[in-house]
């Protein structure tokens, strides 16, 4: 089974039957009524499909503001039972709009927002309640983290880029995600490490250099501390034999 790293968002809604879904190396059960919202760049693999369901793909190049985000833990919501028919109509309308030669971005955003409102609260809510201003700043931080985590692994760099004191930035990231800047940085490096081990034939040494580690031995210690196994052992246990394929939507 080929692992896929997407450059678009995917909405997967099972309506009948069960399945198994791996997102960023964590397996979740596909159940009727669960809506998986898989963000661009997340490692994704369906190990067992549900017998019936709907799938929609939205390119990040479409200039559409996706109303969900990567903060969902786990990355799915449940459709409220009394809202299922409304949700089905919204999902159908979304697919129809996306099939047009020139989809209307604002209409798609409204449909997505309506689908979101049909869902129950996340299975595991965030640790703190945060306001929209904090979330906006946190998203800005995540964008900087995404473009810089390979070259910059010091917290002060992100504090300077955000023009916020380290203590205040840490307080903000804890409020939204439950993690400090350092923990989010470590998590992103670890996630990319697992992705490269899973989807490429690069050696552990090559991956260390790819991720900005000057000393491969340090990378091995970092990985073993976080995963309780070496990169080589991780690849033997979880690695895929083929490189990931990218799906292009026409």
């Amino acid at each position: 089974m080929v692992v896929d790293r997407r450059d678009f968002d995917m909405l997967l809604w099972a309506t009948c039957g069960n399945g198994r879904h791996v997102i960023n190396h964590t397996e979740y059960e596909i159940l009727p009524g669960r809506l998986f919202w898989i963000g661009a760049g997340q490692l994704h693999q369906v190990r067992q499909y549900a017998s019936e369901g709907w799938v929609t793909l939205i390119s990040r190049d479409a200039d559409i503001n996706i109303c969900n985000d990567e903060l969902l833990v786990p990355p799915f919501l449940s459709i409220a039972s009394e809202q299922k028919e409304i949700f089905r109509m919204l999902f159908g309308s979304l697919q129809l709009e996306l099939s047009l030669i020139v989809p209307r971005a604002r209409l798609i955003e409204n449909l997505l927002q309506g689908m979101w409102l049909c869902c129950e609260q996340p299975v595991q809510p965030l640790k703190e309640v945060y306001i929209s201003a904090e979330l906006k700043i946190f998203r800005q931080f995540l964008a900087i983290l995404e473009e810089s985590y390979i070259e910059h692994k010091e917290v002060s760099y992100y504090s300077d880029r955000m023009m916020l004191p380290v203590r205040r930035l840490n307080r903000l990231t804890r409020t939204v995600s439950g993690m400090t800047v350092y923990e989010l940085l470590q998590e992103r490096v670890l996630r990319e490490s697992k992705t490269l081990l899973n989807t490429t034939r690069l050696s552990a040494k090559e991956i260390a250099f790819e991720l900005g580690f000057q000393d491969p031995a340090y990378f091995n210690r970092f990985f073993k501390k976080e995963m309780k196994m070496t990169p080589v052992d991780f690849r033997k246990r979880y690695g895929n034999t083929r490189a990931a394929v990218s799906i292009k939507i026409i």
Side-chain angles (χ1 to χ4, degrees):
M1 178 101 32
V2 176
V3 178
D4 182 21
R5 192 171 191 179
R6 303 176 176 276
D7 57 0
F8 46 81
D9 292 273
M10 184 180 88
L11 282 67
L12 185 152
W13 179 37
T15 57
C16 182
N18 298 356
R20 293 182 299 134
H21 198 174
V22 178
I23 302 172
N24 288 336
H25 310 285
T26 300
E27 182 171 295
Y28 303 97
E29 189 174 7
I30 300 175
L31 296 173
R34 278 188 176 177
L35 173 69
F36 283 86
W37 221 311
I38 302 150
Q42 291 184 295
L43 200 65
H44 160 73
Q45 180 187 43
V46 178
R47 290 184 173 170
Q48 179 184 339
Y49 286 91
S51 55
E52 294 180 16
W54 300 46
V55 174
T56 289
L57 306 173
I58 303 175
S59 171
R60 280 292 172 99
D61 296 330
D63 190 29
I64 295 171
N65 181 28
I66 305 297
C67 53
N68 102 301
D69 50 57
E70 302 81 35
L71 304 181
L72 282 181
V73 182
F76 63 79
L77 294 170
S78 296
I79 312 303
S81 57
E82 67 275 13
Q83 300 289 340
K84 285 184 179 178
E85 287 307 311
I86 296 175
F87 184 87
R88 186 186 297 272
M89 289 188 291
L90 291 170
F91 210 139
S93 298
L94 175 67
Q95 291 192 313
L96 180 62
E97 185 64 29
L98 289 171
S99 69
L100 299 177
I101 296 176
V102 183
R104 292 162 289 185
R106 301 294 82 80
L107 177 56
I108 291 173
E109 290 176 2
N110 289 333
L111 289 169
L112 289 170
Q113 184 64 38
M115 292 164 58
W116 185 262
L117 294 174
C118 288
C119 296
E120 298 172 347
Q121 290 298 310
V123 177
Q124 180 181 328
L126 298 175
K127 294 182 179 180
E128 303 279 350
V129 176
Y130 51 85
I131 60 176
S132 57
E134 291 175 324
L135 181 57
K136 182 178 180 180
I137 296 172
F138 182 74
R139 288 182 187 276
Q140 293 171 348
F141 161 73
L142 286 184
I144 294 173
L145 178 70
E146 187 62 30
E147 70 182 26
S148 307
Y149 73 93
I150 292 177
E151 295 183 4
H152 299 282
K153 295 181 172 57
E154 58 281 356
V155 173
S156 60
Y157 171 82
Y158 300 93
S159 173
D160 292 342
R161 285 285 304 272
M162 294 295 295
M163 293 186 289
L164 291 172
V166 171
R167 179 177 293 183
R168 183 180 172 190
L169 184 58
N170 273 327
R171 185 167 61 246
L172 184 144
T173 61
R174 278 201 201 96
T175 297
V176 178
S177 69
M179 302 170 71
T180 65
V181 174
Y182 177 77
E183 289 168 340
L184 287 166
L185 178 59
Q186 294 290 92
E187 188 277 334
R188 184 64 187 92
V189 174
L190 181 64
R191 177 152 46 96
E192 190 67 15
S193 303
K194 292 189 290 186
T195 296
L196 292 173
L197 287 166
N198 202 335
T199 63
T200 74
R201 298 181 183 277
L202 295 175
S203 67
K205 182 178 180 179
E206 290 171 324
I207 290 173
F209 291 134
E210 188 81 11
L211 294 177
F213 289 87
Q214 296 183 354
D215 182 4
Y218 179 75
F219 168 70
N220 284 336
R221 291 195 298 272
F222 158 76
F223 192 92
K224 187 173 182 179
K225 177 183 177 182
E226 298 295 329
M227 295 301 299
K228 313 304 179 188
M229 66 179 77
T230 66
V232 172
D233 290 337
F234 177 87
R235 172 171 278 165
K236 287 179 180 178
R237 183 176 299 184
Y238 301 108
N240 204 52
T241 56
R242 292 179 288 177
V245 262
S246 127
I247 298 176
K248 184 177 182 180
I249 302 182
I250 301 175

